[in-house]
Amino acid sequence: LIQKIWDENMKNNNYIEASTNAILSFQMLEEVLKICIGLSYEIIQLSIPKPLQFRFQANDINNLPLEQLVSKYKVITSKPEQADEIKKIIKWRNFIAHNAFRHEFLSRTDNSPFDKHSPEDITKVLTETKRLISCLAEEMKELQQTLKSLK
């Protein structure tokens, strides 16, 4: 009995830890998307010939949710398939951000209305999110170089 309680408690702690790490990664993903979009907009702004103008302010994207950021990113990136990959994790992001802790608590009594999943499932999503952040960071470096060459 003690072992069962210990195992259950560790599973709950692993779930909470995995969820917390995933939330932090999703936030980082949103931030790097904002940077890529902002850099792209600056490049467009500097590249567009007169008399045309492209007006952009950081506030235009600052408070957008992940789904809208991905839509804006897909329009301006040379890697639209990356936007599609990000879209695949939005459902997980929304679940973890808004329901993971409730699910964990209700799962203790088998009353969770959500599909069963494990800390390992969340860790897989976290791994994919980190991969996407790394890809976006590489793109961000390329954009910074392009912007530097225009100034």
Side-chain angles (χ1 to χ4, degrees), residues 33 69-75 77 79-90 132 136 139:
L33 271 172
L69 287 170
V70 174
S71 294
K72 288 192 177 294
Y73 170 74
K74 187 170 184 172
V75 172
T77 185
K79 302 168 186 166
E81 66 283 352
Q82 203 159 263
D84 294 333
E85 292 174 23
I86 296 169
K87 281 184 180 182
K88 292 177 185 175
I89 64 168
I90 290 176
L132 290 167
L136 287 168
E139 184 174 354

Side-chain angles (χ1 to χ4, degrees), residues 20-135:
T20 301
N21 290 334
I23 289 169
L24 293 172
S25 289
F26 292 135
Q27 188 60 42
M28 190 63 206
L29 179 68
E30 288 183 21
E31 293 304 313
V32 76
L33 271 172
K34 289 175 189 177
I35 293 169
C36 286
I37 294 166
L39 287 167
S40 297
Y41 283 178
E42 282 186 72
I43 291 166
I44 293 167
Q45 201 169 32
L46 291 171
S47 301
I48 200 160
K50 295 191 184 322
L52 300 175
Q53 289 187 351
F54 181 80
R55 292 180 189 85
F56 163 72
Q57 294 180 4
N59 287 339
D60 294 345
I61 59 169
N62 203 34
N63 294 317
L64 291 180
L66 182 56
E67 196 162 0
Q68 289 180 27
L69 287 170
V70 174
S71 294
K72 288 192 177 294
Y73 170 74
K74 187 170 184 172
V75 172
I76 50 97
T77 185
S78 62
K79 302 168 186 166
E81 66 283 352
Q82 203 159 263
D84 294 333
E85 292 174 23
I86 296 169
K87 281 184 180 182
K88 292 177 185 175
I89 64 168
I90 290 176
K91 180 180 172 187
W92 273 102
R93 181 260 174 224
N94 291 340
F95 170 79
I96 293 169
H98 302 292
N99 297 302
F101 294 106
R102 186 171 135 224
H103 169 67
E104 187 280 327
F105 179 75
L106 293 173
S107 291
R108 296 177 194 185
T109 57
D110 290 328
N111 288 325
S112 178
F114 305 105
D115 293 339
K116 289 198 181 287
H117 57 272
S118 67
E120 292 77 23
D121 294 327
I122 293 177
T123 301
K124 287 177 189 173
V125 174
L126 174 60
T127 301
E128 176 63 5
T129 304
K130 287 180 178 180
R131 185 189 70 77
L132 290 167
I133 290 168
S134 180
C135 292

